[in-house]
């Protein structure tokens, strides 16, 4: 239960039982002072009738307020009737003002804004009459005293009424702000849900496109390595079958064996790059570290791997894309860069992940770079991979100054 709700509940409790309590208190005090104030028997019977009327009035209102909780015509009638009863009781005995003070409460719940000051002023008249010694005032001094007390009460009523209006305006503004925040939060949640759905759709499309890319890459790999190697082996063996010279036949056999070994190595490399097996048991940092270490051992190039930021589990497609880009970049380095040292850095930066691969090789002139014979599975292929998951890839290279490849992709966490 919020603080506002608890306060409303307390006010509701007071409005339900407060009038009865104040009426009982006034009755007991007035009864005890009736003789001292010289009340006549007729006045006592009149007060008894007014007390009964007040009880009936509040009982009827308790039923009416259930269907008309806010300011209404019924609320105006109830307030006027309650004030009239309180004024009459106070006229008979000034100490009934303990009941008449109820007019200061619930004004904003019973009266529309244009009648609130009038209602408060009417209550101030009743209380000023009680405080000045009773109604009607006696003599000129009594009227002067009544007027002074009424002016003081009216000033206080207007002052506190103004503060109450300011607080009401602030409350309304606060409620409107809360409502606007709720609407904004709802819209934001819808946007987040839609963004999550778009992300999921994007990753599905990236996965499907990645499968097609891998098929084309594998076809290119088979054509450029295995098929050409097998063609060379067949050619060498055909020469062996037709040459009568054993020495020459041995040379061609050795060439065929060398081609077979080279083709076997290319086949193993293609299978290794076919799917990110390294991600099956390890996260992306460990998979990249193993990839970089194995690549360095295989090529003899000094290779280092670094992680910056707090590592987080990434979505499978994001991790696979970054691992593929790293493998392709390292493969390009081994084939073309003639580098002596390579550094790979994986950086977690808030809502992005960055992968940097830098080498100290020969570099190249980006203005005259041509597409690879395999249809662009080099830099263009890496860029396509990054863009499919809403990322980007940049390349910095100068002849003789090495090459730096940087892939920046959104940090999409692993599906739980």
């Amino acid at each position: 239960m919020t603080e506002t709700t608890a306060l409303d509940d307390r006010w509701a409790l007071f409005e339900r039982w407060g009038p009865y309590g104040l009426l009982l208190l006034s009755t007991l005090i007035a009864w005890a002072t009736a003789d001292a104030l010289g009340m006549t028997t007729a006045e006592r019977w009149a007060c008894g009738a007014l007390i009964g009327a007040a009880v009936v009035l509040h009982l009827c209102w308790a039923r009416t307020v259930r269907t008309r909780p806010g300011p209404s015509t019924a609320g105006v009638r109830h307030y006027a009737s309650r004030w009239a009863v309180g004024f009459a009781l106070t006229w008979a005995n000034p100490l009934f003002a303990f009941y008449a003070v109820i007019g200061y409460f619930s004004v904003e719940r019973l009266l529309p804004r244009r009648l609130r000051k009038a209602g408060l002023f009417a209550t101030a008249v009743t209380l000023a009459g009680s405080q000045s010694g009773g109604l009607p005032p006696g003599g000129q001094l009594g009227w002067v005293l009544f007027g002074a007390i009424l002016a003081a009460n009216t000033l206080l009523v207007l002052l506190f009424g103004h503060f109450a209006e300011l607080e009401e305006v602030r409350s309304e503004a606060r409620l409107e702000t809360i409502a606007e925040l709720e609407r904004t939060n709802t819209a934001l949640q819808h946007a987040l849900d839609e963004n999550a759905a778009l992300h999921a759709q994007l990753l599905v499309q990236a996965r499907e496109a990645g499968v097609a890319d891998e098929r084309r890459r594998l076809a290119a790999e088979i054509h450029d390595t295995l098929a050409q190697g097998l063609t060379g082996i067949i050619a060498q063996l055909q020469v062996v079958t037709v040459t009568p010279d054993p020495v020459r036949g041995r040379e061609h056999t050795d060439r065929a064996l060398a081609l077979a070994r080279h083709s076997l190595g290319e086949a193993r490399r293609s299978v290794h790059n076919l799917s990110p097996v390294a991600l099956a048991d390890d996260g992306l940092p460990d998979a990249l570290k193993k990839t970089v270490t194995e690549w360095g051992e295989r090529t003899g190039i000094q290779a280092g791997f670094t992680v910056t930021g707090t590592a987080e589990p990434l979505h499978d497609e994001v991790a696979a894309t970054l691992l593929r880009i790293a493998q392709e970049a390292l493969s390009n380095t081994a084939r073309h860069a003639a580098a002596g040292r390579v550094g790979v850095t994986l950086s977690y930066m808030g809502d992005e992940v960055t992968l940097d691969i830098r080498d100290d090789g020969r570099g190249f002139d980006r203005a005259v770079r041509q597409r690879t014979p395999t249809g662009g599975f080099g830099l263009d292929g890496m860029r396509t991979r990054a863009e499919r998951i809403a990322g980007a890839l940049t390349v910095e290279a100068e002849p003789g100054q090495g090459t730096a490849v940087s892939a920046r992709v959104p940090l999409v966490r692993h599906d739980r």
Side-chain angles (χ1 to χ4, degrees):
M1 180 182 296
T2 64
E3 183 178 351
T4 302
T5 303
L7 184 59
D8 290 340
D9 290 342
R10 292 170 185 170
W11 270 115
L13 184 64
F14 174 79
E15 291 173 0
R16 180 71 179 85
W17 300 107
Y20 298 108
L22 293 175
L23 182 62
L24 177 60
L25 177 63
S26 303
T27 301
L28 293 176
I29 296 175
W31 183 269
T33 59
D35 293 335
L37 295 176
M39 292 182 65
T40 64
T41 302
E43 289 176 335
R44 298 187 187 198
W45 279 104
C47 287
L50 290 171
I51 292 171
V55 172
V56 173
L57 179 65
H58 290 297
L59 288 174
C60 293
W61 178 247
R63 298 178 60 183
T64 304
V65 75
R66 297 173 186 173
T67 57
R68 305 176 191 178
S72 62
T73 303
V76 174
R77 287 198 297 265
H78 174 72
Y79 187 91
S81 300
R82 190 177 65 182
W83 174 84
V85 171
F87 181 82
L89 286 172
T90 305
W91 187 284
N93 188 322
L95 295 178
F96 272 109
F98 285 103
Y99 169 71
V101 77
I102 194 67
Y104 282 148
F105 300 97
S106 307
V107 176
E108 71 282 355
R109 301 177 187 270
L110 297 176
L111 301 180
R113 185 169 295 181
R114 68 180 185 279
L115 297 178
R116 291 175 187 174
K117 290 182 179 179
L120 292 172
F121 178 76
T123 301
V125 170
T126 303
L127 294 182
S130 171
Q131 294 164 358
S132 62
L135 294 172
Q140 184 177 2
L141 181 60
W143 281 103
V144 172
L145 181 60
F146 170 76
I149 295 176
L150 177 60
N153 282 339
T154 302
L155 179 61
L156 291 175
V157 165
L158 292 177
L159 183 61
F160 287 113
H162 177 67
F163 289 155
E165 289 180 357
L166 292 178
E167 183 61 29
E168 184 177 1
V169 171
R170 289 179 57 189
S171 297
E172 292 176 355
R174 190 180 302 114
L175 291 175
E176 180 61 28
T177 301
I178 292 174
E180 182 63 27
L181 287 175
E182 290 178 350
R183 290 192 293 269
T184 302
N185 287 337
T186 301
L188 178 60
Q189 185 61 48
H190 288 163
L192 290 175
D193 293 341
E194 183 178 356
N195 186 56
L198 291 176
H199 250 306
Q201 183 180 2
L202 181 63
L203 291 174
V204 170
Q205 293 174 351
R207 184 181 295 110
E208 294 174 351
V211 171
D213 278 350
E214 289 305 315
R215 289 173 179 171
R216 291 195 296 270
R217 186 188 68 80
L218 184 59
E221 289 279 354
I222 292 174
H223 176 269
D224 293 343
T225 58
L226 300 182
Q228 292 181 9
L230 291 174
T231 300
I233 292 171
I234 292 173
Q236 297 299 325
L237 293 178
Q238 286 176 340
V239 173
V240 172
T241 58
V242 298
T243 182
D245 186 355
V247 176
R248 187 179 177 189
R250 181 65 180 174
E251 291 177 356
H252 286 286
T253 302
D254 291 341
R255 292 175 184 174
L257 288 174
L259 285 172
R261 293 190 183 95
H262 177 74
S263 297
L264 178 61
E266 290 296 325
R268 287 173 175 171
R269 185 183 63 79
S270 297
V271 171
H272 179 268
N273 292 335
L274 181 60
S275 62
V277 178
L279 292 173
D281 301 319
D282 299 316
L284 180 61
D286 292 336
L288 282 173
K289 183 177 181 180
K290 290 181 180 179
T291 299
V292 172
T293 301
E294 292 174 358
W295 179 87
E297 293 173 350
R298 185 170 63 251
T299 61
I301 300 174
Q302 182 181 350
F305 174 69
T306 305
V307 178
T308 64
T310 303
E312 297 190 44
L314 300 177
H315 190 282
D316 293 342
E317 195 62 30
V318 175
T321 298
L322 290 176
L323 182 58
R324 288 293 192 201
I325 290 174
Q327 291 173 339
E328 189 68 35
L330 292 173
S331 177
N332 287 347
T333 300
R335 291 179 179 180
H336 310 298
R341 185 168 55 186
V342 174
V344 179
T345 303
L346 179 65
S347 304
Y348 292 84
M349 301 183 296
D351 57 353
E352 290 185 333
V353 184
T354 300
L355 176 67
D356 296 299
I357 304 98
R358 300 177 180 273
D359 66 62
D360 61 354
R362 62 168 61 99
F364 61 90
D365 188 348
R366 289 176 293 169
V368 299
R369 183 180 64 86
Q370 297 179 350
R371 293 175 61 86
T372 63
T374 60
F377 282 101
L379 296 177
D380 292 338
M382 289 186 283
R383 180 174 289 107
T384 300
R385 290 182 187 277
E387 291 175 350
R388 282 203 179 97
I389 57 172
L393 185 131
T394 57
V395 179
E396 296 178 3
E398 295 291 341
Q401 301 296 321
T403 303
V405 177
S406 178
R408 183 185 299 268
V409 300
L411 195 159
V412 183
R413 292 172 177 79
H414 177 68
D415 293 334
R416 295 294 181 182

